[in-house]
Amino acid sequence: MQDPGLASRGEGAEYVEECRDRSELLRASDETIDDAVCFADPMALRGLVHQWTGDERLVAMEVECRSFGSVELEVLAHESDVALVRARAAAFLKSYRDEGAPDLPIGPRERLHRSIGLTTGVEIPESELGLWMEELALDPFARGLAWKQEPAAEALEQWTVAVIGAGMGGLDAAVLLKQAGIPYFVLEKNSDVGGTWYENRYPGARVDSTSRTYTHVFGVDFIHPYGYCPQRINLRYFEWVADRYGVRDAIHFGTEVRSLAWDDEALLWEIEAEGPTGRRTWRANAVITAVGFLSRPNLPSIDGMDTFVGSAFHTARWPEGLDLTGKRVAVIGTGATGYQTIPEIAKSAAHVHVFQRTPGWCFDVPGYLAPLPPQVGWLDRNAPYFKNFARLRSAWMAAPQHVSQGLHVDPDFDDPFARSPRNKLVREQRIAFIREKLASRPELVDAMIPPYPPMGARHVLVDEHDNVYTALTRENVSLETKPIERITPRGILVVGGREIEVDVVVYATGFRANDFLWPMEIRGRDGARIEDLWAKDGPRAYLGTMLPGFPNFFMVYGPNTNNFGGLQIVDFEELVVRFALECIGGLIGRGAQTVDVTREAFERYNVELDRCEARMMYSDPRVNTYYRNPYGRSAVNNPIDIRRIWAWTLDPSGRAVDASDPCVRPHFGLDLVVE
Ligand code: NAP
């Protein structure tokens, strides 16, 4: 029987559905099953088998912490226990197959709590169980709106929410608004869904967090062929979301929002957008922007750029079908994009000139570019709830307690290059990797060592054997570290007078990350300008989403939402979307019109944000990337433990006070003014 506690938000139909088509399992031989279980993460399998069987032997197994790069992770201490977990998993799957693979309910909640702990390797406190249950994704709508009381149809019909953007955040909002029954529409400037993955099609584009956790909670059924998917699979995921959850029809493609203005009398947002049929005004009770901050290309201004006669473009505007065979290519910029694309371009171009101002830290991930073994896909398809436990395990790797180990400065640690003992160790490991990969070009090593501590800026995940360093050892790749003086009709002139002739210039120069919401013009109450609110030291928000004086306005991936307090960006986006929906649902339920955050609460939250930022590695003064704005702080990163963000954003309209954490009280009647 389905445990009623589990079905509180979206019922269990979605995940039972996955268990229905078991024809592949019914045909599977014992050897196929025995083989497949060897490819599962043993800790994920341990929790799963415990949930299937309640086998107490799995509970007693010894767990130890092992170092994986910058984090220590709980793993099974003894190979014999790994073997036992696999054997139990195989035995269960065989008997399940032999019984005809009927629907398999998830089982009792008490057992689930323990099974989660067996996957993570530590006991999860009751106060955090909800967060990890969400990560387990048994309920696809666990991060949706939980109506306390279904509103009347007439109350819902009077509401419309505008969502801007159909990338990861916008699709999340659309799916969950639809699920909640709240009328909505989506305005998207591109001609299809996918946001950053629609736009960034440069060779080598690939996700740099595990794909299992680079999905929404409701996306757990999407089967990833790679541990870290390339662009085309990421884009396919977003297309799958739009189709599976039926939100495509509500999206107005090719429609770019120019301005948003709050109408004080009508209590509506007025949205001016340029669409396929010209300019049009839309009205909505609430707006959720999900436009990303890594979406507007940052083209440098270098003298002579417009004189170049060859092909020149930003990486996010890669020309379709471009063939670089035989071409001499300049890549300007060496952030994650530059480092990802250089090895790929080098495979076909005649020559690649890498123009590097600042090197970045690279972390090698074994098999980063490789597809997952077919056995993993087999388990995803055939082992009930395997996807869920594997997802949980991936999420746990980015748990706050793990990521903080590598990201926090030790104020008592004294070293010219590193900010904590672990940071020093990581730095040494990274430099050893650079030396190993550049063994045939040792003269390049110094130029590839970043001037700031590891984890100070966005690190780059790379394949062990095929990466920017191995590319630099090729005869057709050269590193240029002299500053660019200007671009000429035929190439690039560097300081000192040398002109490097090229056919193609690739600008891997990043995005206007600190220009939030740009170029939209946004006016709140009494015509208040967003720029005035942000004039002191750059963009800020309350919980990364609300702005005082801008009622019923929520940003997804807004200021300070690149989470450095654990889990992934998609998690922060989902928490914020749920917060927005809980606010909107709260208004609808009460027959109220507006919700606004107080200026005092906005500031109080930001004091806490700044306090937490002071201990982060990215606050190191040597960091000079988009992580630091011109005022010397980060407007993009969030240093607060995600468990606090999770608790804060959970239930703004229904809960009275969370007395345990007084710096933020994100509830109606406290930080939030409802009228
Ligand atoms: P970025 O990190 O901002 O890097 C921009 C690069 O361009 C830097 O090397 C910068 O040099 C250089 N640059 C900027 N202006 C220049 C100029 N006028 N002359 C010469 N060089 C110039 O941009 P990005 O690499 O596109 O990455 C942005 C973010 O997107 C990443 O941090 C990440 O969050 C995301 N991303 C993720 C992936 C992934 O793996 N999933 C891939 C790509 C991007 P300086 O550092 O010296 O300023």
Side-chain angles (χ1 to χ4, degrees):
M1 269 298 289
Q2 170 82 45
D3 171 62
L6 288 174
S8 60
R9 279 182 185 245
E11 293 306 327
E14 286 290 332
Y15 48 92
V16 173
E17 177 188 289
E18 281 302 299
C19 307
R20 280 196 191 121
D21 179 19
R22 298 263 171 236
S23 55
E24 192 182 10
L25 175 63
L26 294 176
R27 288 194 313 271
S29 66
D30 285 1
E31 291 72 28
T32 298
I33 294 174
D34 288 334
D35 180 40
V37 296
C38 295
F39 289 81
D41 177 292
M43 293 291 279
L45 208 53
R46 179 189 185 212
L48 175 61
V49 175
H50 179 263
Q51 193 57 32
W52 282 339
T53 62
D55 187 340
E56 283 296 313
R57 278 177 297 175
L58 305 169
V59 179
M61 291 174 171
E62 193 185 336
V63 168
E64 67 178 19
C65 277
R66 231 170 262 167
S67 202
F68 293 85
S70 62
V71 297
E72 298 253 312
L73 207 57
E74 299 81 0
V75 296
L76 285 175
H78 305 294
E79 272 310 307
S80 55
D81 284 341
V82 172
L84 180 62
V85 169
R86 288 176 178 154
R88 296 288 295 126
F92 174 86
L93 283 172
K94 287 173 200 168
S95 67
Y96 177 58
R97 173 201 60 193
D98 296 342
E99 286 161 17
D103 283 357
L104 188 70
I106 188 65
R109 188 178 192 279
E110 313 75 69
R111 189 193 290 173
L112 201 47
H113 190 165
R114 181 171 257 191
S115 303
I116 289 174
L118 296 184
T119 289
T120 60
V122 301
E123 203 173 315
I124 299 294
E126 188 67 36
S127 59
E128 285 177 33
L129 182 60
L131 172 62
W132 299 107
M133 283 285 287
E134 289 167 18
E135 291 300 328
L136 192 61
L138 292 170
D139 175 355
F141 299 119
R143 288 190 176 148
L145 170 59
W147 290 108
K148 278 147 208 99
Q149 200 179 347
E150 283 286 332
E154 310 82 68
L156 280 171
E157 277 162 19
Q158 285 166 22
W159 265 77
T160 308
V161 179
V163 178
I164 304 176
M168 182 173 256
L171 284 174
D172 188 53
V175 169
L176 297 175
L177 280 161
K178 180 174 178 182
Q179 188 262 339
I182 300 173
Y184 71 97
F185 59 90
V186 184
L187 304 179
E188 165 57 57
K189 69 175 165 39
N190 295 328
S191 54
D192 210 332
V193 299
T196 197
W197 296 104
Y198 176 88
E199 293 183 9
N200 284 277
R201 297 169 185 230
Y202 59 84
R206 180 176 289 270
V207 71
D208 63 358
S209 33
T210 57
S211 281
R212 278 198 195 278
T213 46
Y214 197 79
T215 49
H216 307 87
V217 166
F218 56 67
V220 68
D221 290 341
F222 186 84
I223 294 178
H224 294 93
Y226 293 81
Y228 297 83
C229 287
Q231 177 268 341
R232 68 192 147 81
I233 311 277
N234 299 323
L235 185 56
R236 193 189 300 163
Y237 167 72
F238 293 110
E239 292 164 352
W240 175 87
V241 166
D243 295 331
R244 174 163 187 172
Y245 290 101
V247 296
R248 209 176 259 284
D249 288 350
I251 307 174
H252 301 268
F253 291 107
T255 303
E256 180 160 3
V257 174
R258 303 281 186 217
S259 67
L260 296 161
W262 176 251
D263 182 333
D264 281 312
E265 286 185 7
L267 303 179
L268 294 172
W269 281 97
E270 203 165 273
I271 305 155
E272 291 278 335
E274 205 73 54
T277 54
R279 192 164 273 241
R280 181 175 160 187
T281 304
W282 307 71
R283 284 189 179 74
N285 304 73
V287 171
I288 299 177
T289 65
V291 294
F293 58 75
L294 296 171
S295 61
R296 299 285 177 172
N298 169 45
L299 265 188
S301 60
I302 304 174
D303 280 351
M305 274 172 75
D306 50 1
T307 66
F308 183 65
V309 296
S311 179
F313 47 85
H314 187 271
T315 42
R317 301 288 179 267
W318 197 271
E320 200 181 335
L322 178 71
D323 182 6
L324 291 177
T325 310
K327 297 275 192 327
R328 298 162 301 170
V329 183
V331 178
I332 301 179
T334 51
T337 304
Y339 276 9
Q340 267 192 346
T341 200
I342 289 160
E344 281 311 301
I345 295 178
K347 286 171 191 156
S348 59
H351 201 96
V352 181
H353 297 272
V354 177
F355 290 83
Q356 176 169 277
R357 278 200 315 209
T358 318
W361 289 107
C362 294
F363 287 72
D364 53 308
V365 175
Y368 178 59
L369 301 175
L372 287 168
Q375 290 88 342
V376 176
W378 188 92
L379 289 166
D380 277 332
R381 293 190 302 277
N382 296 299
Y385 309 112
F386 174 76
K387 289 190 296 278
N388 304 85
F389 278 82
R391 184 188 201 279
L392 173 71
R393 179 69 180 165
S394 286
W396 181 250
M397 292 179 192
Q401 44 277 64
H402 293 141
V403 295
S404 63
Q405 298 165 1
L407 293 174
H408 288 182
V409 166
D410 176 349
D412 299 324
F413 186 70
D414 188 17
D415 184 277
F417 305 111
R419 302 299 304 272
S420 72
R422 181 179 294 272
N423 192 236
K424 185 176 165 72
L425 180 71
V426 170
R427 186 173 188 275
E428 284 161 2
Q429 287 170 346
R430 295 301 91 216
I431 292 175
F433 180 68
I434 298 173
R435 286 192 200 289
E436 181 200 324
K437 293 296 145 187
L438 289 177
S440 62
R441 301 290 308 276
E443 75 282 8
L444 297 181
V445 168
D446 284 351
M448 297 307 289
I449 298 178
Y452 53 82
M455 315 309 286
R458 178 71 173 190
H459 59 277
V460 186
L461 293 196
V462 296
D463 188 82
E464 218 177 347
H465 305 296
D466 183 358
N467 51 55
V468 66
Y469 307 123
T470 56
L472 285 171
T473 64
R474 295 172 66 112
E475 290 202 341
N476 70 334
V477 179
S478 31
L479 181 66
E480 315 290 345
T481 52
K482 287 220 164 93
I484 297 171
E485 189 167 306
R486 71 187 149 83
I487 296 189
T488 68
R490 284 173 316 191
I492 294 178
L493 186 71
V494 293
V495 167
R498 190 163 57 98
E499 184 182 18
I500 297 160
E501 290 193 12
V502 293
D503 308 299
V504 177
V505 176
V506 176
Y507 293 107
T509 43
F511 300 89
R512 300 180 60 141
N514 278 286
D515 295 338
F516 279 87
L517 304 179
W518 184 86
M520 293 186 292
E521 193 187 319
I522 301 171
R523 303 269 177 156
R525 275 201 170 111
D526 303 321
R529 284 160 26 99
I530 223 162
E531 292 80 1
D532 294 334
L533 188 65
W534 291 344
K536 188 174 144 234
D537 57 6
R540 291 180 177 274
Y542 174 78
L543 295 172
T545 187
M546 287 183 94
L547 301 170
F550 295 76
N552 299 3
F553 181 78
F554 304 92
M555 292 170 284
V556 180
Y557 210 21
N560 296 108
T561 56
N562 228 3
N563 39 325
F564 278 67
L567 298 183
Q568 309 289 352
I569 289 164
V570 62
D571 292 293
F572 207 114
E573 294 191 348
E574 289 177 309
L575 301 186
V576 159
V577 166
R578 173 164 63 192
F579 175 84
L581 264 58
E582 290 282 351
C583 285
I584 292 166
L587 294 180
I588 296 171
R590 288 163 195 228
Q593 300 295 314
T594 61
V595 56
D596 200 353
V597 63
T598 67
R599 179 84 192 208
E600 190 265 321
F602 167 82
E603 276 160 14
R604 189 165 12 90
Y605 171 76
N606 276 286
V607 167
E608 178 63 3
L609 185 96
D610 292 346
R611 186 186 73 79
C612 295
E613 175 169 307
R615 65 170 183 222
M616 300 305 285
M617 215 55 89
Y618 65 73
S619 66
D620 187 281
R622 287 164 287 194
V623 175
N624 185 25
T625 68
Y626 71 92
Y627 276 14
R628 174 180 286 265
N629 74 4
Y631 304 91
R633 56 169 283 266
S634 183
V636 299
N637 293 344
N638 190 299
I640 300 174
D641 190 312
I642 195 79
R643 290 170 291 191
R644 296 174 75 197
I645 302 281
W646 175 76
W648 286 338
T649 52
L650 201 52
D651 191 9
S653 71
R655 195 167 46 169
V657 195
D658 179 0
S660 63
D661 201 344
C663 58
V664 182
R665 302 167 301 167
H667 312 300
F668 280 13
L670 294 168
D671 289 355
L672 306 180
V673 178
V674 173
E675 286 170 347

